[in-house]
């Protein structure tokens, strides 16, 4: 089972993403509500990947990504940025961070796990536990 | 009898019930900020907070199925964070967008209530209790 850490200061987004990944993909999900907490949890729990919000108070996503790369305990963990700013200019600003990918907000809870799996080359369970309402 | 999987709507309904009050407060703060802007009474700190609220709403409303709400919030965010001063027509437009966001919240709540009723009915039909946790 894959283990993923979600770092996002927004309670609702963090909870939707966590339940989505647990329900759809069956992954083990850890959460952190700030950059500092995320860095500590990443070093302690050694997740297989990190889903990282870009805009957070105090320590933003890019700063967290750089700190993760600077720490030998976390430097190899792939990071996926989650951002509501999807303009080309913003995406170019992330190029130096050496992240595995960038996903946009708002996301669809049904397809989020598939998007992450596609970025990381992971396989999803054949039958997911959450189906589209439509 | 096999229980069907929860739908994305039934899944989101549980989360909406927990977070809709906080989201509504963000929208109401944003609507107040656009009203203050129209009166030239929006302070720089209030403007920064309004940009942050708009950014969060842009990232979350679509996840709850309100794509137009995310787009409106993003338009407000971009307008408020731009350095240039806004024309009266642009400010009036932002007020309309903020009012629309309040209507969007009501639409989400109605849809979530309907989804919740459907979900409970389906659980009664299958006679199998379902807990998200």
């Amino acid at each position: 089972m894959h283990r993923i850490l979600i770092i996002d200061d927004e309670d609702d987004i963090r909870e939707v993403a966590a339940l989505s990944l647990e329900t759809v993909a069956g992954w083990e999900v850890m959460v952190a509500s700030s950059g500092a907490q995320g860095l500590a949890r990443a070093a302690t729990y050694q997740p297989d990947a990190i889903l990282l919000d870009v805009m957070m108070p105090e320590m933003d996503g890019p700063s967290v990504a750089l700190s993760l790369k600077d720490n030998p305990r976390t430097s190899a963990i792939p990071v996926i940025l989650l951002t509501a700013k999807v303009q080309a200019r913003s995406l170019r600003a992330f190029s130096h961070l050496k992240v595995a990918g960038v996903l946009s907000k708002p996301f669809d809870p049904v397809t989020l796990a598939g998007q992450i799996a596609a970025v990381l080359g992971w396989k999803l369970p054949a039958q997911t536990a959450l189906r589209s309402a439509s | 009898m096999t229980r069907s999987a929860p739908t994305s709507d039934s899944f989101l309904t549980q989360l909406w019930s927990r977070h809709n009050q906080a989201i509504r407060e963000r929208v109401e703060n944003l609507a107040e900020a656009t009203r203050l802007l129209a009166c030239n009474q929006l302070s720089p700190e209030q403007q920064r907070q309004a940009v942050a609220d708009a950014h969060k709403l842009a990232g979350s409303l679509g996840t709850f199925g309100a794509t137009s709400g995310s787009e409106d919030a993003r338009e407000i965010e971009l307008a408020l964070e731009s350095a240039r001063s806004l024309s009266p027509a642009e400010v009036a437009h932002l007020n309309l967008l903020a009012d629309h966001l309040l209507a969007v919240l009501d639409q989400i709540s109605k849809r979530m209530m309907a989804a919740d009723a459907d979900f409970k009915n389906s659980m009664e039909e299958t006679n199998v209790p379902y807990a998200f946790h």
Side-chain angles (χ1 to χ4, degrees):
Chain A
M1 181 195 294
H2 292 301
R3 304 166 79 233
I4 191 160
L5 170 64
I6 299 170
I7 306 174
D8 197 314
D9 66 307
E10 293 173 60
D11 295 345
D12 49 347
I13 292 299
R14 203 171 55 243
E15 194 168 1
V16 171
L19 282 178
S20 167
L21 300 184
E22 289 170 350
T23 309
V24 173
W27 296 337
E28 183 180 330
V29 178
M30 293 153 279
V31 296
S33 59
S34 70
Q37 189 180 56
L39 289 174
R41 293 203 168 158
T44 302
Y45 297 115
Q46 297 285 301
D48 298 313
I50 296 171
L51 188 61
L52 174 61
D53 183 34
V54 168
M55 187 175 278
M56 294 187 289
E58 294 169 13
M59 191 175 197
D60 64 10
S63 301
V64 174
L66 290 172
S67 294
L68 288 166
K69 294 296 176 194
D70 282 345
N71 183 343
R73 288 177 56 80
T74 57
S75 60
I77 302 172
V79 173
I80 297 175
L81 293 176
L82 191 58
T83 179
K85 284 184 181 291
V86 289
Q87 298 102 321
R89 187 182 58 183
S90 300
L91 294 178
R92 280 197 298 274
F94 302 143
S95 59
H96 71 291
L97 299 173
K98 297 190 172 99
V99 295
V102 180
L103 298 182
S104 64
K105 285 183 181 178
F107 57 80
D108 180 345
V110 177
T111 60
L112 178 65
Q115 289 179 291
I116 293 171
V119 168
L120 299 172
W122 293 355
K123 285 188 178 174
L124 283 183
Q127 191 168 4
T128 66
L130 190 69
R131 62 187 168 84
S132 170
S134 57
Chain B
M1 184 180 292
T2 303
R3 184 190 65 199
S4 60
T7 67
S8 56
D9 267 1
S10 63
F11 165 81
L12 287 175
T13 298
Q14 313 298 314
L15 296 171
W16 179 253
S17 67
R18 288 211 285 273
H19 296 291
N20 85 79
Q21 190 56 41
I23 292 173
R24 183 169 292 277
E25 283 174 15
R26 262 180 218 148
V27 172
E28 288 171 349
N29 290 342
L30 196 56
E32 177 63 15
T34 61
R35 279 192 285 274
L36 290 171
L37 184 66
C39 308
N40 282 325
Q41 292 179 344
L42 187 67
S43 71
E45 178 51 36
Q46 287 170 318
Q47 184 158 348
R48 276 192 291 275
Q49 184 58 51
V51 169
D53 284 335
H55 179 83
K56 289 179 177 180
L57 290 166
S60 63
L61 289 176
T63 295
F64 288 103
T67 307
S68 70
S70 274
E71 290 167 353
D72 289 347
R74 194 183 313 282
E75 189 173 341
I76 295 173
E77 177 193 3
L78 291 173
L80 289 179
E81 74 177 359
S82 71
R84 68 183 180 82
S85 60
L86 301 171
S87 71
E90 288 172 317
V91 172
H93 179 61
L94 293 185
N95 270 285
L96 286 177
L97 291 177
D99 287 343
H100 180 245
L101 284 179
L102 289 166
V104 163
L105 291 189
D106 292 337
Q107 290 168 4
I108 297 175
S109 291
K110 282 180 186 167
R111 187 166 56 78
M112 294 298 179
M113 285 172 65
D116 191 41
D118 288 347
F119 180 59
K120 285 173 178 166
N121 287 338
S122 70
M123 288 301 100
E124 285 172 6
E125 286 169 9
T126 57
N127 200 28
V128 177
Y130 185 86
F132 278 84
H133 275 292

